Amino acid sequence: MCIPVFFLFWSLFSVSAAETEENDSLHETVVENVAEDTIIDLTVDSTIPNSLPDTGSTPAAGRPSQPSRQVTTATSQSDSLRKRQTRDSLLNLEQSRRHRYAPDSTVPERQSIDDGDMFRSDATSWINMPFVRRLNANPRIGVAGYNNRLLYMGNTVPLTKVYAGTRLLYETADDPLYGDDAWCSTEFSSISLGADGTRTMVPRTVSLATPESEFFWETGVFDENILLLRFTRPLSRHLQVNIFSNYRHFTGTAFSHEGNDVYTVFSSITSDTTLLSRRGYSPQVNEYFCGADARWQGTTTELYGRVKYGDLTSELPLNRTPANDYPDFTRVSQFPFSFTGGVTTHRGNHFFADAECRWLSHPQRRIRSEPVGSGFQTEIIRQLRKDLSGAVRTGVGFGRSDTLALVGRVRRSQLSVADSLEPVSFQYRPEAVWQHRFSSLESVLSLRAGADFHATDTAGVYAPVWNATFLASVKKYRCALFVEQELLHYAPPIDSLATAATLHDAYFRAGGQVERNWNLFHLLAGYQWCYGIDTAAVLRSWASRSIPYRQPQSVFVIAPEFGRWNGMGISSRLLLSDTRPFVKLQGALSLLVFPKLTNEAFDIRLECNYWSEREPTVFADLSDWNRPVVDVNFIATAHIKSFRLVYKIDNLLNHDFSYVPGYYAPGITFRWGFSWFIQR
């Protein structure tokens, strides 16, 4: 039913922006906004949107500087010249958008990617995009699903902050039943990564000249059905709207390869058949997200609004003696509904002020079945979390290189389990941010200091928080360094009334990366040190209290990349940590071919993900969760203008392994689908 509704909306908005507004009124906006969605590499605190013009003065603390806006005065030219310039501006903007989705042999930026790169990644989720996995471990618990996690530098604790909207409020994957995979590419136009792993997602409400739509569909084993839709268009010269719908389904199915052709073929070519996947269970995933974004932009003020609803069902493993040789599962349903609104404004060239608020209602329902005698006793556990968050920021620029900003965040949370209300908890977080740009070098220094207060009716926690970040880019070198002290918050488990005041960790973290570019070669080396994380507390942030491995204290990363040379490219990433698995290696070999005299492209990609042996773990009375991971995947695509056909083979070697205890890999799987970008 959702698809006809979205097509109805689209039919109402089917007229292009050039037809709904006079050409002379569009001219000023189009020329002004052509370069607004450009990502600037030297961004220390990318949590602040581009709203101050770059007139030679200091940008706001943490605001990426943007190209100077050139507005042509109407009184200085004839009407015919203005109309011609308006038409040219619209056509240039439309063509630049179309070009983003065309076949491209260039290597995406390492610190950020745009919507065209995401379109060409053929990923069902943003956490599966090659760019995103560059400094992250991705322990998949299924082909796709919101419970999947993205672990920056291999951190099992939810340290990474995700900013969106007006980039004031942030989210973390602290809820054990709500991971990183609740975002889809239909909801944002670009992603950028900070030095400390901070992710900034720019919504789809970028400047457009004509309406756009994007479709992604994929099907395969376990009755897979993934359908992602978005419709984006300008309603006026100031207002942009994006409507999205994301649906993912996998049927919960027990599978067995014993005695079939799959096992026969692989057993004939594998010396050790104990490594092969024989039987298991693929958990159910039935997710639907829908929502809309809107952005209104004036001369000095920008308004942003977002509404999103989800109907999510998944299955979680149970840590008890199973009835089969794989864990039993329980079903969890969630219905998150959120509204976000924000405003950014500037006055003159120095003063700016921003505000953002978010309201969240997150009901959860879990079916728990316990063995009693010869049968089972079933219990339904209900939990409701309500959050109301707000943040304000104001600041001024001094001279040409310094900016000072004051930031205040507040959050009110209430949790009810089985109709029993917990005390209301409050979080206050005042901060001061100072940023300095060095004129002699392409470098930025940012200092942030504040305090984090978390209080309930019975207890309170206070901790100082601070961060220092330095970014520099000199010729073909790029350096990023950071050091911070933070307070980590955990969400209470669904079946416990433990107060939120006991779920905190104060930790210290430092690290950095150095990059070097050659013509066909790129090298990154980095390090992270993290201290103060309690492993027992980390368990609270994972479903079924099952984590892939202990939180490492020291992590080294080295990521060499080669290409493209004659269409061939090689990328790799090696994570070395002081806890098992000591080695987490990922590599990819790709070949991109452009047939002569055509605009089409064919891409073949072979990926391998390897984890060394982990510490022995017993879950559901099973102890084979620690075996090494060898996950080989194959992807073949055909790109015709703005249409892509894709075929995927996961677990090409049909190995039996597990990223997270409780979830066995489903063996070799086959998937196929298409994606399509349409303008007008």
Side-chain angles (χ1 to χ4, degrees):
M1 294 178 62
C2 63
I3 298 177
V5 173
F6 278 96
F7 274 106
L8 175 61
F9 273 106
W10 188 249
S11 65
L12 295 176
F13 301 149
S14 61
V15 182
S16 66
E19 295 169 330
T20 57
E21 293 290 332
E22 293 292 335
N23 286 339
D24 55 353
S25 64
L26 268 175
H27 170 70
E28 181 175 340
T29 302
V30 173
V31 177
E32 189 177 11
N33 294 329
V34 166
E36 273 192 13
D37 55 349
T38 302
I39 301 297
I40 307 300
D41 285 341
L42 284 179
T43 302
V44 173
D45 184 2
S46 60
T47 65
I48 306 178
N50 302 339
S51 62
L52 276 181
D54 184 9
T55 58
S57 61
T58 305
R63 294 184 182 223
S65 59
Q66 65 180 19
S68 300
R69 297 176 175 177
Q70 300 176 354
V71 180
T72 305
T73 305
T75 58
S76 64
Q77 53 188 311
S78 65
D79 291 341
S80 61
L81 180 59
R82 285 192 298 110
K83 291 180 180 180
R84 185 163 57 252
Q85 289 180 336
T86 300
R87 182 182 64 253
D88 293 342
S89 299
L90 288 169
L91 291 175
N92 289 336
L93 181 56
E94 180 181 357
Q95 292 173 0
S96 66
R97 293 291 301 170
R98 186 183 302 117
H99 179 71
R100 287 193 180 189
Y101 291 82
D104 190 2
S105 61
T106 60
V107 179
E109 289 289 334
R110 272 82 181 186
Q111 287 75 43
S112 63
I113 57 172
D114 60 23
D115 41 8
D117 297 322
M118 291 186 283
F119 177 76
R120 287 184 291 271
S121 69
D122 304 303
T124 59
S125 159
W126 72 277
I127 68 174
N128 293 323
M129 298 174 185
F131 152 80
V132 176
R133 297 199 305 260
R134 186 164 170 260
L135 291 176
N136 300 272
N138 182 13
R140 295 190 303 171
I141 60 176
V143 179
Y146 62 88
N147 280 330
N148 280 304
R149 300 291 181 98
L150 192 68
L151 310 181
Y152 176 75
M153 295 290 286
N155 295 318
T156 55
V157 65
L159 306 179
T160 301
K161 300 175 182 177
V162 181
Y163 290 87
T166 54
R167 286 162 271 181
L168 255 177
L169 297 173
Y170 59 83
E171 301 177 12
T172 59
D174 57 351
D175 192 328
L177 301 181
Y178 202 75
D180 290 315
D181 205 2
W183 291 76
C184 289
S185 59
T186 56
E187 303 176 49
F188 50 88
S189 61
S190 65
I191 310 173
S192 60
L193 300 182
D196 57 354
T198 298
R199 297 192 291 269
T200 302
M201 298 183 173
V202 178
R204 281 281 182 181
T205 52
V206 296
S207 299
L208 300 176
T210 58
E212 295 180 354
S213 59
E214 190 173 345
F215 303 83
F216 180 92
W217 175 78
E218 185 176 281
T219 187
V221 295
F222 308 123
D223 298 326
E224 176 191 2
N225 189 12
I226 297 179
L227 180 62
L228 311 180
L229 306 172
R230 77 166 175 93
F231 306 100
T232 312
R233 67 147 297 138
L235 293 184
S236 71
R237 66 191 183 99
H238 292 294
L239 182 60
Q240 307 280 338
V241 174
N242 178 58
I243 304 175
F244 59 87
S245 171
N246 307 320
Y247 176 71
R248 293 185 290 200
H249 172 81
F250 294 86
T251 300
T253 305
F255 63 89
S256 175
H257 297 311
E258 294 182 349
N260 62 16
D261 293 339
V262 172
Y263 183 79
T264 302
V265 171
F266 282 97
S267 60
S268 64
I269 61 176
T270 304
S271 57
D272 187 1
T273 58
T274 61
L275 300 177
L276 297 180
S277 175
R278 295 173 177 265
R279 56 186 303 186
Y281 183 82
S282 177
Q284 178 186 10
V285 173
N286 194 69
E287 308 172 1
Y288 176 65
F289 282 107
C290 64
D293 300 86
R295 184 188 69 163
W296 182 90
Q297 185 174 27
T299 305
T300 60
T301 303
E302 179 180 316
L303 302 177
Y304 172 78
R306 174 186 178 87
V307 60
K308 183 176 180 179
Y309 171 75
D311 184 345
L312 318 174
T313 299
S314 64
E315 291 182 323
L316 304 178
L318 295 174
N319 191 9
R320 69 184 189 194
T321 302
N324 302 288
D325 51 2
Y326 52 83
D328 297 331
F329 284 77
T330 185
R331 183 171 299 178
V332 175
S333 298
Q334 305 183 67
F335 310 92
F337 178 72
S338 62
F339 171 79
T340 304
V343 57
T344 65
T345 183
H346 66 268
R347 294 293 182 266
N349 295 330
H350 298 279
F351 175 78
F352 64 93
D354 310 316
E356 186 175 11
C357 65
R358 179 184 299 129
W359 176 80
L360 169 67
S361 175
H362 194 163
Q364 298 176 340
R365 183 176 67 242
R366 173 180 170 184
I367 301 176
R368 183 170 62 183
S369 180
E370 298 292 343
V372 177
S374 59
F376 288 87
Q377 179 179 357
T378 302
E379 179 184 6
I380 299 179
I381 302 174
R382 290 181 173 86
Q383 173 176 294
L384 173 62
R385 192 182 86 192
K386 291 185 177 180
D387 285 352
L388 181 61
S389 306
V392 293
R393 172 178 46 219
T394 183
V396 293
F398 300 95
R400 301 176 59 88
S401 58
D402 294 277
T403 305
L404 177 65
L406 299 177
V407 184
R409 297 182 177 90
V410 60
R411 176 181 177 182
R412 179 188 184 274
S413 302
Q414 187 171 25
L415 180 72
S416 62
V417 178
D419 299 326
S420 299
L421 291 178
E422 285 196 17
V424 177
S425 63
F426 293 91
Q427 180 185 358
Y428 308 95
R429 189 182 175 99
E431 294 178 336
V433 181
W434 173 73
Q435 180 173 297
H436 177 76
R437 292 180 178 267
F438 297 89
S439 57
S440 58
L441 298 173
E442 296 181 12
S443 57
V444 183
L445 174 65
S446 178
L447 302 177
R448 174 174 55 85
D452 197 318
F453 303 87
H454 197 107
T456 65
D457 295 341
T458 58
V461 174
Y462 157 80
V465 293
W466 52 269
N467 176 283
T469 305
F470 176 75
L471 297 181
S473 180
V474 180
K475 295 182 179 180
K476 295 184 178 182
Y477 290 91
R478 186 180 186 274
C479 175
L481 304 173
F482 76 94
V483 58
E484 68 176 5
Q485 178 175 300
E486 274 286 352
L487 184 65
L488 179 66
H489 302 272
Y490 298 102
I494 188 173
D495 52 357
S496 172
L497 286 174
T499 60
T502 62
L503 304 177
H504 302 87
D505 263 335
Y507 68 90
F508 179 85
R509 189 164 62 119
Q513 304 102 39
V514 177
E515 299 180 62
R516 173 67 161 91
N517 272 308
W518 288 268
N519 292 333
L520 292 176
F521 186 72
H522 178 271
L523 180 64
L524 177 145
Y527 174 74
Q528 176 195 267
W529 183 71
C530 185
Y531 174 77
I533 300 296
D534 181 11
T535 301
V538 176
L539 295 174
R540 303 189 186 112
S541 63
W542 286 79
S544 304
R545 300 177 67 88
S546 176
I547 59 176
Y549 48 83
R550 289 190 298 113
Q551 167 67 24
Q553 188 174 84
S554 293
V555 180
F556 290 91
V557 60
I558 181 169
E561 298 179 17
F562 174 80
R564 296 188 178 267
W565 178 75
N566 290 336
M568 185 180 68
I570 302 175
S571 61
S572 61
R573 183 265 295 146
L574 174 64
L575 288 174
L576 301 174
S577 61
D578 59 350
T579 60
R580 293 180 181 269
F582 298 124
V583 177
K584 290 183 282 293
L585 175 65
Q586 181 176 333
L589 174 64
S590 62
L591 179 63
L592 182 63
V593 179
F594 288 86
K596 293 182 179 180
L597 304 179
T598 67
N599 294 325
E600 290 74 34
F602 299 93
D603 190 6
I604 298 175
R605 184 179 179 89
L606 186 66
E607 300 178 348
C608 180
N609 199 17
Y610 170 78
W611 287 12
S612 61
E613 186 175 339
R614 285 163 286 174
E615 296 176 348
T617 301
V618 177
F619 185 89
D621 289 347
L622 301 172
S623 58
D624 57 349
W625 308 107
N626 65 325
R627 63 176 57 186
V629 171
V630 181
D631 189 7
V632 180
N633 307 305
F634 173 81
I635 302 175
T637 60
H639 193 153
I640 306 170
K641 294 185 178 179
S642 61
F643 184 86
R644 290 180 69 89
L645 289 170
V646 59
Y647 188 83
K648 305 177 182 179
I649 304 177
D650 297 327
N651 196 1
L652 188 62
L653 301 180
N654 195 42
H655 273 199
D656 185 20
F657 59 84
S658 171
Y659 284 105
V660 181
Y663 301 91
Y664 286 115
I668 187 170
T669 58
F670 303 88
R671 298 181 286 156
W672 56 92
F674 72 87
S675 53
W676 193 11
F677 170 75
I678 305 173
Q679 274 187 320
R680 294 181 186 249

